Amino acid sequence: MHEDSSSGSPGATPRLSAVIARCEALYHDVDLRTVHDWRAARGGRKVVGYMPIYVPRELIDAAGMLPVGIMGGRGQVEIIRGDAWFQSYICQIPRSTIELALTGRLDVLDGMLFPSICDVIRNLSGMWKVKFPGKYVRYFDVPQNYEPEVGGRFYREELRHLYADLRRLSGTTEDADETLRRSIARYNENRRVIGELLELRAKEPWRVPTYESYLVLFAGNVLPVEEHTALVREYIAAALESDRPRRDNARVVLTGAFCEQPPIELIRTLELAGCYVVSDDTALGRRWPTEDVSTEGDPLLALATGFLRHSPPTAARYEPHGDRGEPLVTLVKKQRAEGVVLAAPSFCDPALLEQPILQDTLDAARVPWTAFKYAENLGQFQVIREQAGTFADSIKLWSEP
Amino acid sequence: MSAERETTGGREGEREVKDASMLLQKEMIAGHFTALSRAKEEGKKVVYTFVPGNLTELLHAFDVLPLYPEINALQSGMRKKSGGYILEAERLGHSEDVCAYVKSDIGMLRAGNVGPTGEKLPPPDLLLLSYTGCFTFMKWFELLKREYDCPVAMLHVPYQGDGEFTDEMRKYVVDQLRSEVIPKLEQVTGKKLDEAKLEEALAKSSVAEDDLVWVLESAKNKPSPIDAYFGGVYYIGPIFTAFRGTDAAVEYYKTLRSEVQVRLDQRLGPITPDGPLTNERYRLVVEGPPSWPSFQEFWKMFSGEGAVVVASSYTKVGGFYDHGFRHDPKRPLESLADYCAGCYTNLNLPSRIEILARYVREYQADGLLINSVKSCNSFSAGQLMILREVEERTGVPGGFIETDLVDPRYFSAANVKNRLESYLQMIEQKRKSPGAPRGPSGAAGGGSSGPRRLEVLP
């Protein structure tokens, strides 16, 4: 077992510590004070929230509003009312999200988008419509057919409706296409710089602990995109200046945590247990699509095309050719990972239903894996630390070179 | 959604009472499973698909046999086999947290894929993934496609998140039928789509649908001649899956309607496992699926108390006809798209609340009872809010029971019975409450403090 932390302060320069301190403050800001401040500083401009995994934030941004990712309660919200709205066998994120709303913490949001991911989030959109009738609420469907003339055409229409709604909500009169192209360019840049950060992490994970990269990406939930891009750049620069020891950790892919977020302590626990997380799906929506969206021509068509062609494989999307097993093995090879941590939230249908497929495929490819469930409000990490530590040790001791 | 009684109803030594329609549906379902078991030797192609958003008329037009994995699972539940199948699936790595239908189906597959008639079920020639109202369907077929070497046709039916099925959504579904589903069926069968045959099937569906709606709406009468939940899934609704669009279905619903008309004329209650129900004491609307392994026991808990379910949402999962939708031969593909989109679990929660509140009013129900099943998030997520909203809008009390579709570990008979009895007592107390306003069924109910709820939350 590795007793020393590869994350947090060891080897961190004051510059790096300052970036992380800012990100930690944003992470713990469940009252969305940052968003209130943004709004106040801009004469009351509007704010639209969204849930995981993916919404085209460009549309919100182009309509002149701030997109805000609502990623559950992060274990920082005491669930009092939320438990009365969901049965015990429903995952945590809807109950903490509705708790946030019922306690007024989401009052700053003028609208809320519920992307297509699973039946629970889908039904939460209906609950929102009933409980918050004054807010703009939309279930945002994405196509499961990837033919441009079929799914692409449908999706462009969905985007057109959503964009028109958002422009009505904000009252903007700016040129619709031109502002959207500018937003697309800003998000392209943001995704590129996030890509650089994650490449650096995969290449030199001792320089970029996932505890930190997670926080840096999480900050993008509440910051305007250009501000987030600058933050990521600042972090990369600071991380490159830092002098951190390289450890004999196991390189692992973390998957299954795309919606309900693991507690940040869980990520730190994996690292403390001897894992370098070289790829994870915790902030999948921030890197979606995986390639630049065109800034030429019809911007709605460009977004639709980006979705059809460059969506990452994930449990919530239909895989017309095979299933998610092969893409996961490909990712493992690409990142030179030595094992996979299958971490799924309890009662998460998308993640848990496909887990047997992933396990079988990993076995066939002779990729070691370990699996556990978590909840966003998990408070005890010792068992996971032991499990992850044993896993990392077994990789180091017995894996084929 | 078929359900056959495997044990005799009534007490020991009593003659089991069954209407002709019950026997007829049993014969038809058994015949279908026998046809499936002989499909390969008779050169028939087999298509696995799902009940919500099923394209039965289109499958008939290609002369292929549909097979529904949910029905396999519920049949396993009724035959008390699902518990073992689920354990086997969990042993293979399937989480205890996920849908028990999936696990029962996987377990049955590993045990030899033997159907309810004891005959082996054929492997699919096509997996027709109608992704309608249930996310799990998508993952279910990802699991199945690893088991079978056959093509998959994916039909994505958009969810009615804003309570409407727009022209763009309809076009999307029709485009998929044209570009994905029909070509795959043509590829598998080696035949071109026979449009005339499809239109003929749709016309037959429409006739049967009229009779189905008439039968379900007969429960507005007092006493209700049918039980629209247990009876609804046992012999009224199930025929709508494999047989919709056939002469047999038209004939079946004509027979059923005649029977119900006789019961209405004679002011008879529904036939239950304990025989004809003669003392309708409570009229309930039920939301959510039943628990199949304990189906008869569950039903008896209701009928033993004189409780009749006058309307249910589960019988609308395979098709929602309340607002006048009928399959239409004049617009075949558009009509199939509308059918898929209208299935109950593809409707948003405000629509579901409105439907249930309307059922309470129009069927003069004494209450709304939710059977919340662990396996089905599509149904269950949000049901506690549905309960509160329907109570507020109608003034009738709500009750909440938790069981599971086919996992017997989640059916505690004593607990369920206790909750049901307590709930019915509460309805009774409300009736006796002096000065209380009249509820929708004419019984005294409500009161200045608003509706009361049986607090049976987890």
Side-chain angles (χ1 to χ4, degrees):
Chain A
M1 296 281 282
H2 299 254
E3 292 303 322
D4 195 11
S5 170
S6 62
S7 61
S9 57
T13 60
R15 184 183 184 188
L16 183 58
S17 297
V19 176
I20 294 306
R22 184 180 178 209
C23 293
E24 283 176 332
L26 293 172
Y27 176 81
H28 291 292
D29 179 20
V30 287
D31 293 329
L32 298 179
R33 294 311 320 163
T34 317
V35 177
H36 281 280
D37 292 346
W38 178 90
R39 186 180 185 127
R42 287 160 183 81
R45 267 167 64 181
K46 290 187 172 165
V47 178
V48 172
Y50 60 88
M51 290 200 68
I53 309 176
Y54 169 73
V55 298
R57 290 165 291 156
E58 292 91 334
L59 298 182
I60 304 170
D61 180 64
M65 300 183 286
L66 180 67
V68 173
I70 303 300
M71 302 290 141
R74 285 157 265 160
Q76 299 170 58
V77 179
E78 188 182 2
I79 308 297
I80 298 169
R81 304 184 206 189
D83 280 344
W85 291 93
F86 290 100
Q87 300 90 318
S88 56
Y89 48 79
I90 306 275
C91 56
Q92 277 296 318
I93 189 170
R95 64 187 79 225
S96 65
T97 304
I98 205 145
E99 182 79 29
L100 288 169
L102 292 171
T103 51
R105 291 170 167 114
L106 303 185
D107 285 355
V108 69
L109 305 180
D110 299 285
M112 187 78 171
L113 303 181
F114 296 84
S116 166
I117 170 168
C118 71
D119 295 332
V120 172
I121 301 301
R122 185 199 71 180
N123 285 6
L124 187 60
S125 72
M127 294 175 72
W128 226 264
K129 278 181 183 286
V130 173
K131 299 312 295 180
F132 308 103
K135 304 280 187 180
Y136 175 74
V137 180
R138 189 176 174 96
Y139 172 74
F140 180 66
D141 218 345
V142 294
Q144 304 288 352
N145 174 297
Y146 309 126
E147 293 300 320
E149 290 303 311
V150 183
R153 183 182 300 212
F154 162 72
Y155 188 47
R156 190 194 172 282
E157 284 302 304
E158 286 290 294
L159 293 171
R160 186 175 66 80
H161 280 298
L162 176 60
Y163 192 33
D165 283 355
L166 293 171
R167 284 175 58 86
R168 265 193 297 277
L169 182 64
S170 72
T172 182
T173 53
E174 287 193 39
D175 181 275
D177 284 358
E178 198 43 50
T179 50
L180 184 51
R181 284 189 205 101
R182 286 201 295 269
S183 285
I184 289 172
R186 282 199 291 276
Y187 277 91
N188 279 343
E189 187 182 10
N190 184 253
R191 284 184 285 259
R192 279 197 298 269
V193 74
I194 287 173
E196 288 170 25
L197 167 63
L198 297 179
E199 273 180 35
L200 177 61
R201 180 184 65 165
K203 191 176 163 197
E204 300 178 67
W206 56 93
R207 278 192 196 281
V208 182
T210 295
Y211 173 82
E212 292 179 359
S213 66
Y214 180 88
L215 287 171
V216 171
L217 264 58
F218 195 94
N221 285 312
V222 290
L223 293 178
V225 61
E226 58 275 14
E227 204 174 319
H228 185 242
T229 300
L231 176 78
V232 179
R233 287 210 171 101
E234 172 67 6
Y235 174 79
I236 292 173
L240 286 171
E241 287 174 4
S242 65
D243 180 21
R244 286 167 156 171
R246 180 177 181 169
R247 301 182 187 283
D248 188 27
N249 284 1
R251 296 170 60 89
V252 301
V253 168
L254 172 68
T255 189
F258 44 82
C259 179
E260 182 176 320
Q261 297 291 285
I264 187 71
E265 295 84 358
L266 190 152
I267 290 170
R268 192 196 282 274
T269 296
L270 292 178
E271 297 188 313
L272 288 172
C275 295
Y276 279 144
V277 179
V278 294
S279 175
D280 70 89
D281 56 6
T282 54
L284 204 56
R286 317 234 132 254
R287 295 169 270 157
W288 193 328
T290 54
E291 302 279 335
D292 276 2
V293 175
S294 171
T295 51
E296 305 291 323
D298 174 0
L300 294 174
L301 183 61
L303 283 170
T305 305
F307 181 88
L308 295 184
R309 291 186 185 165
H310 302 300
S311 287
T314 186
R317 286 183 74 240
Y318 177 63
E319 289 287 340
H321 309 295
D323 49 47
R324 260 246 303 145
E326 287 308 322
L328 178 58
V329 171
T330 303
L331 177 68
V332 166
K333 288 177 181 164
K334 182 186 167 202
Q335 302 291 37
R336 293 181 295 108
E338 298 163 286
V340 173
V341 175
L342 300 164
S346 294
F347 304 108
C348 174
D349 275 348
L352 291 170
L353 279 163
E354 71 173 15
Q355 221 172 62
I357 294 175
L358 303 185
Q359 292 170 359
D360 286 352
T361 315
L362 291 170
D363 283 342
R366 302 173 68 83
V367 176
W369 56 268
T370 189
F372 57 77
K373 290 189 288 187
Y374 67 87
E376 64 174 23
N377 58 349
L378 184 71
Q380 298 291 328
F381 301 96
Q382 186 57 30
V383 172
I384 288 176
R385 181 166 176 167
E386 286 171 8
Q387 183 177 345
T390 305
F391 181 60
D393 288 347
S394 71
I395 285 173
K396 287 291 150 197
L397 289 170
W398 293 301
S399 278
E400 293 166 10
Chain B
M1 288 202 303
S2 78
E4 294 169 61
R5 292 197 291 181
E6 299 236 319
T7 55
T8 56
R11 285 173 287 277
E12 192 71 29
E14 285 184 353
R15 191 173 63 85
E16 187 178 18
V17 179
K18 284 193 173 183
D19 275 341
S21 58
M22 296 175 178
L23 300 172
L24 183 56
Q25 72 89 26
K26 188 167 183 174
E27 280 172 25
M28 290 166 73
I29 300 248
H32 180 64
F33 277 103
T34 300
L36 281 168
S37 69
R38 294 181 187 154
K40 297 299 169 190
E41 61 195 77
E42 293 180 356
K44 282 256 190 183
K45 302 294 183 187
V46 174
V47 174
Y48 284 19
T49 191
F50 291 110
V51 172
N54 71 74
L55 302 171
T56 302
E57 295 85 353
L58 187 63
L59 300 184
H60 285 312
F62 280 99
D63 200 25
V64 299
L65 290 170
L67 190 153
Y68 302 95
E70 310 111 294
I71 293 181
N72 293 348
L74 76 85
Q75 291 281 358
S76 297
M78 295 195 85
R79 289 179 293 135
K80 313 283 186 196
K81 292 191 169 179
S82 57
Y85 292 156
I86 289 166
L87 287 177
E88 172 63 11
E90 289 178 358
R91 195 186 62 76
L92 294 168
H94 293 263
S95 171
E96 64 192 49
D97 289 359
V98 302
C99 175
Y101 264 0
V102 177
K103 289 184 286 189
S104 178
D105 189 42
I106 296 288
M108 187 182 99
L109 180 61
R110 292 300 167 97
N113 222 20
V114 175
T117 54
E119 296 156 301
K120 189 171 169 62
L121 297 174
D125 296 290
L126 175 70
L127 291 167
L128 172 51
L129 168 51
S130 177
Y131 178 48
T132 304
C134 170
F135 173 82
T136 297
F137 286 164
M138 194 160 75
K139 310 312 283 184
W140 194 341
F141 267 28
E142 279 182 13
L143 290 160
L144 287 190
K145 76 181 175 185
R146 289 172 71 85
E147 305 283 343
Y148 298 112
D149 181 23
C150 74
V152 183
M154 164 61 147
L155 176 67
H156 172 208
V157 177
Y159 182 65
Q160 294 200 38
D162 285 336
E164 61 173 338
F165 192 55
T166 63
D167 289 344
E168 291 91 351
M169 292 173 173
R170 185 176 298 103
K171 178 171 169 40
Y172 175 44
V173 176
V174 169
D175 285 349
Q176 290 176 82
L177 291 172
R178 287 205 175 104
S179 66
E180 168 80 0
V181 177
I182 292 171
K184 292 261 174 69
L185 282 164
E186 289 178 338
Q187 173 198 333
V188 164
T189 60
K191 299 177 190 172
K192 295 296 286 181
L193 171 64
D194 185 338
E195 291 180 14
K197 204 169 174 182
L198 173 60
E199 288 165 20
E200 192 184 332
L202 293 167
K204 287 174 186 167
S205 287
S206 178
V207 173
E209 284 157 357
D210 279 344
D211 283 339
L212 170 76
V213 170
W214 185 91
V215 168
L216 290 173
E217 291 188 346
S218 73
K220 290 179 180 173
N221 291 279
K222 288 184 175 181
S224 170
I226 62 165
D227 185 291
Y229 183 52
F230 297 105
V233 296
Y234 159 39
Y235 72 101
I236 297 172
I239 221 78
F240 251 65
T241 49
F243 302 99
R244 212 178 53 220
T246 65
D247 288 328
V250 171
E251 203 51 43
Y252 173 80
Y253 280 97
K254 203 194 295 181
T255 302
L256 180 61
R257 180 170 177 164
S258 305
E259 277 176 11
V260 173
Q261 184 63 60
V262 170
R263 302 191 79 75
L264 273 176
D265 293 343
Q266 298 179 4
R267 294 182 56 77
L268 295 174
I271 291 177
T272 74
D274 289 322
L277 191 133
T278 55
N279 61 332
E280 179 185 290
R281 293 176 63 202
Y282 308 102
R283 296 168 62 84
L284 301 178
V285 172
V286 171
E287 148 83 6
S291 177
W292 297 106
S294 306
F295 184 78
Q296 200 170 48
E297 188 180 6
F298 196 23
W299 190 355
K300 282 183 172 187
M301 291 178 194
F302 285 70
S303 58
E305 297 289 335
V308 176
V309 181
V310 289
S312 69
S313 55
Y314 190 56
T315 46
K316 313 299 160 66
V317 170
F320 190 76
Y321 303 97
D322 293 25
H323 296 157
F325 166 79
R326 300 290 182 271
H327 283 90
D328 183 356
K330 290 180 187 149
R331 40 194 297 280
L333 299 187
E334 290 78 6
S335 168
L336 285 171
D338 289 350
Y339 158 77
C340 292
C343 291
Y344 182 74
T345 43
N346 203 52
L347 307 179
N348 70 3
L349 262 58
S351 301
R352 284 170 58 182
I353 290 165
E354 183 52 41
I355 288 165
L356 293 168
R358 188 165 54 77
Y359 283 167
V360 168
R361 289 190 292 263
E362 292 184 0
Y363 288 77
Q364 301 182 69
D366 299 305
L368 168 70
L369 183 71
I370 293 181
N371 182 39
S372 182
V373 294
K374 172 182 171 289
S375 276
C376 185
N377 286 338
S378 180
F379 253 110
S380 301
Q383 278 180 327
L384 287 163
M385 187 201 71
I386 289 175
L387 187 74
R388 289 172 170 88
E389 288 293 321
V390 173
E391 282 179 333
E392 278 179 22
R393 294 179 195 193
T394 63
V396 302
F400 203 81
I401 292 173
E402 288 181 285
T403 68
D404 189 57
L405 287 166
V406 288
D407 192 335
R409 295 172 295 188
Y410 295 93
F411 188 88
S412 165
N415 210 5
V416 171
K417 192 167 193 301
N418 187 32
R419 288 180 179 190
L420 179 64
E421 287 175 356
S422 301
Y423 175 57
L424 297 176
Q425 282 168 13
M426 190 172 69
I427 291 175
E428 199 64 49
Q429 283 169 3
K430 286 190 70 177
R431 285 176 176 165
K432 291 174 184 165
S433 170
R438 308 296 289 178
S441 68
S448 57
S449 60
R452 291 189 298 167
R453 183 185 317 115
L454 178 62
E455 291 293 352
V456 288
L457 303 183

